[in-house]
Structure formats: structure tokens, C-alpha cells
């Protein structure tokens, strides 16, 4: 009973819940911003790697390899703590958004590349025979088909990015984990941290199940 009272104190949980909800709002905004910019950047990198002139292609490959290898925490610390030494300063929210977006873009580029390369070359040839330009071909022929292939891994990457938003607490951004940590210190009880874990689970578990559903659906469509 003492253990339960210490780690799951109902009164403290209720008292800290508004604080945790504010942190959840910041976490959701950070995740949405990172996913938006990361997906746009990833698709751009993918098209550069596949169709750009050779120097841009090698630049895209270099970027993708570097940011797939670097931990997000390292990128975040470099942006928030190192760039000010060069006179470039960002808020904690902006720093976290940039770091998460840069890493997500690298993974998104590889996912999109795999999806586009999965499309038969005959699709490009048929579009060319119809006189369609490259961009119209990509927008109306290739990308809609590739989207069916890339949705499951893209969704999985987005879930991972939402989990990685907790790293923003390192740069004092008031996300869910930071708010829970502050509440835990203020109330001298670990219950707010347990509350944050429950909120993360309630928010992310449906997304995890969605990824599994999309993967199974993709397998069924592929087997037909």
C-alpha cells in the first residue's frame, strides 16, 4: 500500500493533471510541426536523390546518411547550445522542431525512395508517351501509387518522432515530460511522472495499433 501511495497518489495526480495537459499540448504541437516539416523535407530529399543533377544527388545522400546516423539528442544539443556560440539563437521549441524535422526528413527520404522505386518503370514510360511532364507524372501517377507502399513505415516514423519529443525537455521546453518532472520536484512525489507515462501510453498506443493495422492491410493487398 505504501508503494502504491507513493507512486500513484490520486490527490497529487489530480492536482498535477492540468500541468500535464499543458505539457501534452506543447508535445502535440511540437510533434505536428516536426512531422509537417520533416515529411516535406524528406520528399524533397528523395526527389533530389533520385532525379537531381549528380552534385545535388550526392549532397542529398550525404545528408541522409549523416542524419540517419546521428542521434536526435546530439542534433538538438548542437542546435540549442552550440549555434549560440556562432550568434545563432533559437527558442527551445524552434530548436526541437528543427532537430526532429532534420532527422525525420532523412528517414522519410529513404522510405519515399523505396516507395517510388517500387513503381514499375513502365509507369514512367507510359506517362512520357502521353506527353505528361515530369512533375505531373510524379503528382498524378507515381506518388499516389507509392503512397500506398510508404504509409505504414511513414506512420511508424511519425510515432517514433512523437516519442522523441520527450527529448525536448533537455533544452527546457515545457513539453509533457518537462512538466511532469517539474511537478514531481514541486510535489516531492513521483506520481506526476507516472501520470505522464499514462498520458503518453493513451496518446501513442492507438497510433501504434494503427501502424500494425496499416502493415497488415498492406500485406493483404500485396498478396492479392
Amino acid at each position: 500500500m505504501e508503494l502504491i501511495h507513493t507512486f500513484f497518489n490520486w490527490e497529487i495526480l489530480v492536482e498535477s493533471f492540468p500541468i500535464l495537459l499543458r505539457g501534452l499540448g506543447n508535445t502535440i504541437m511540437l510533434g505536428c510541426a516536426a512531422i509537417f516539416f520533416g515529411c516535406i523535407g524528406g520528399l524533397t530529399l528523395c526527389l533530389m536523390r533520385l532525379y537531381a543533377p549528380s552534385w545535388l544527388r550526392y549532397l542529398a545522400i550525404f545528408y541522409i546518411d549523416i542524419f540517419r546516423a546521428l542521434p536526435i539528442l546530439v542534433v538538438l544539443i548542437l542546435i540549442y547550445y552550440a549555434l549560440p556560440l556562432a550568434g545563432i539563437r533559437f527558442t527551445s521549441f524552434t530548436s526541437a522542431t528543427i532537430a526532429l524535422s532534420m532527422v525525420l526528413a532523412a528517414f522519410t527520404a529513404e522510405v519515399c525512395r523505396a516507395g517510388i522505386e517500387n513503381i514499375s518503370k513502365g509507369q514512367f514510360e507510359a506517362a512520357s508517351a502521353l506527353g505528361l511532364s515530369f512533375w505531373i507524372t510524379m503528382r498524378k501517377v507515381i506518388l499516389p501509387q507509392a503512397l500506398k507502399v510508404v504509409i505504414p513505415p511513414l506512420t511508424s516514423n511519425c510515432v517514433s518522432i512523437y516519442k522523441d519529443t520527450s527529448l525536448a525537455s533537455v533544452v527546457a521546453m515545457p513539453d509533457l515530460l518537462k512538466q511532469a518532472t517539474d511537478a514531481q520536484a514541486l510535489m516531492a512525489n513521483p506520481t506526476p511522472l507516472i501520470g505522464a507515462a499514462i498520458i503518453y501510453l493513451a496518446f501513442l498506443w492507438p497510433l501504434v495499433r494503427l501502424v500494425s493495422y496499416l502493415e497488415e492491410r498492406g500485406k493483404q493487398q500485396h498478396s492479392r
Side-chain angles (χ1 to χ4, degrees):
M1 287 298 294
E2 182 63 27
L3 188 65
I4 294 176
H5 182 75
T6 300
F7 285 91
F8 198 83
N9 188 306
W10 180 254
E11 293 180 357
I12 291 178
L13 181 62
V14 171
E15 184 179 352
S16 63
F17 196 66
I19 301 174
L20 298 180
L21 284 183
R22 286 198 296 271
L24 176 62
N26 291 330
T27 290
I28 291 175
M29 286 192 295
L30 175 59
C32 288
I35 289 169
F36 176 77
F37 292 112
C39 287
I40 291 177
L43 181 58
T44 302
L45 284 169
C46 170
L47 296 178
M48 285 174 59
R49 176 167 184 172
L50 291 176
Y51 306 112
S54 58
W55 69 274
L56 276 177
R57 194 176 308 162
Y58 288 122
L59 186 63
I61 292 172
F62 178 76
Y63 178 98
I64 292 168
D65 288 349
I66 291 297
F67 283 94
R68 288 179 71 200
L70 281 176
I72 293 178
L73 183 58
V74 173
V75 179
L76 177 58
I77 290 175
L78 286 174
I79 292 173
Y80 189 76
Y81 291 108
L83 285 183
L85 300 177
I88 303 173
R89 299 180 183 277
F90 296 112
T91 65
S92 57
F93 181 87
T94 302
S95 297
T97 300
I98 293 173
L100 292 169
S101 299
M102 292 177 75
V103 174
L104 178 61
F107 285 93
T108 299
E110 285 299 277
V111 170
C112 291
R113 181 178 67 85
I116 291 174
E117 290 182 340
N118 188 60
I119 306 300
S120 169
K121 291 184 178 179
Q123 299 284 335
F124 289 93
E125 295 170 357
S128 177
L130 292 173
L132 299 180
S133 68
F134 171 79
W135 292 111
I136 292 178
T137 300
M138 292 302 299
R139 182 164 58 89
K140 293 189 174 182
V141 180
I142 303 303
L143 291 181
Q145 296 180 72
L147 193 62
K148 298 177 182 179
V149 178
V150 305
I151 279 181
L154 277 182
T155 307
S156 180
N157 287 345
C158 290
V159 173
S160 296
I161 282 297
Y162 262 113
K163 290 192 293 184
D164 289 333
T165 56
S166 60
L167 296 173
S169 60
V170 173
V171 294
M173 183 194 147
D175 69 321
L176 178 55
L177 180 60
K178 181 66 167 62
Q179 295 289 76
T181 304
D182 290 347
Q184 178 263 333
L186 179 65
M187 300 174 184
N189 187 283
T191 297
L193 293 175
I194 303 299
I198 293 172
I199 291 174
Y200 273 120
L201 183 62
F203 176 63
L204 292 174
W205 182 76
L207 297 179
V208 171
R209 295 309 310 157
L210 175 62
V211 171
S212 299
Y213 167 75
L214 292 173
E215 289 175 346
E216 288 298 323
R217 184 179 178 185
K219 290 178 183 178
Q220 292 174 3
Q221 291 178 345
H222 185 72
S223 62
R224 290 175 185 174

